[in-house]
Amino acid sequence: MSQDDGPGTGRSGAGTMRKRGADGGSSELVTSGGRTTIADAVVAKVATMAAKQVGGVHEMGAGMTRTIGSVRDRLPGMAANGTQGVDVQVGERQAAVDIDLVVDYGLSIPDLAGAVRDNVISEVEHMCGLEVVEVNITVDDIHVEGDDSDDSERRSEEPRVR
């Protein structure tokens, strides 16, 4: 591993340098006082929490991912995936984030995507000290109130004709 030649550009203070772990799975902040390692999963979790803070985000993840996640949540002993719908790539100084969303019906999708993007950038840069170069958002579905899977299961149990 080699250190960067110049000081970092993060908010963590003057003289901070970042370098990438040999395994590719973590980001390190190196200062004269010591080293801080941030795992990629941490960056993904920060991005997930930041996206969920924005009103109008109903759920995270693409269709099949949500289905598998809901099955996993119902199985005893299985932990929920805290970063469902979020994928990150973390480099020496920068991070890129991909997010899959389900949004509530009636909201402006471009406005919501902009709010999610701004919040994710702000939180990842503040908490992790990495420059976020892009946040790609895919809206996979729209949640309509009363259109939950429980309602559709009840409807399918009722006879269609009497």
Side-chain angles (χ1 to χ4, degrees):
M1 289 187 271
S2 64
Q3 288 187 354
D4 296 331
D5 293 328
T9 58
R11 298 177 193 169
S12 55
T16 300
M17 295 182 284
R18 295 179 183 90
K19 66 180 184 176
R20 190 73 181 136
D23 63 348
S26 61
S27 175
E28 296 177 346
L29 299 175
V30 180
T31 66
S32 59
R35 178 182 311 201
T36 303
T37 303
I38 304 170
D40 289 3
V42 172
V43 177
K45 191 170 275 191
V46 169
T48 300
M49 297 303 296
K52 287 181 177 181
Q53 288 174 347
V54 177
V57 173
H58 180 74
E59 205 170 358
M60 308 274 296
M64 186 55 82
T65 304
R66 288 192 323 268
T67 302
I68 293 169
S70 68
V71 169
R72 182 179 335 129
D73 291 345
R74 293 178 185 157
L75 295 174
M78 295 298 288
N81 182 0
T83 60
Q84 176 177 306
V86 175
D87 185 40
V88 298
Q89 293 180 341
V90 181
E92 292 180 6
R93 294 178 208 86
Q94 299 175 329
V97 182
D98 296 324
I99 300 175
D100 292 318
L101 297 177
V102 176
V103 301
D104 291 329
Y105 175 78
L107 299 174
S108 166
I109 293 174
D111 291 346
L112 179 64
V116 168
R117 186 173 288 111
D118 291 345
N119 204 41
V120 168
I121 290 169
S122 174
E123 290 298 311
V124 170
E125 287 183 349
H126 170 72
M127 292 186 69
C128 302
L130 296 166
E131 176 191 3
V132 179
V133 294
E134 65 182 14
V135 177
N136 299 311
I137 297 174
T138 303
V139 177
D140 291 305
D141 201 357
I142 295 177
H143 175 259
V144 178
E145 199 63 39
D147 194 24
D148 294 331
S149 61
D150 292 339
D151 292 340
S152 64
E153 287 174 11
R154 273 186 248 131
R155 274 187 244 126
S156 65
E157 293 171 3
E158 297 175 7
R160 292 181 62 187
V161 293
R162 295 179 191 224

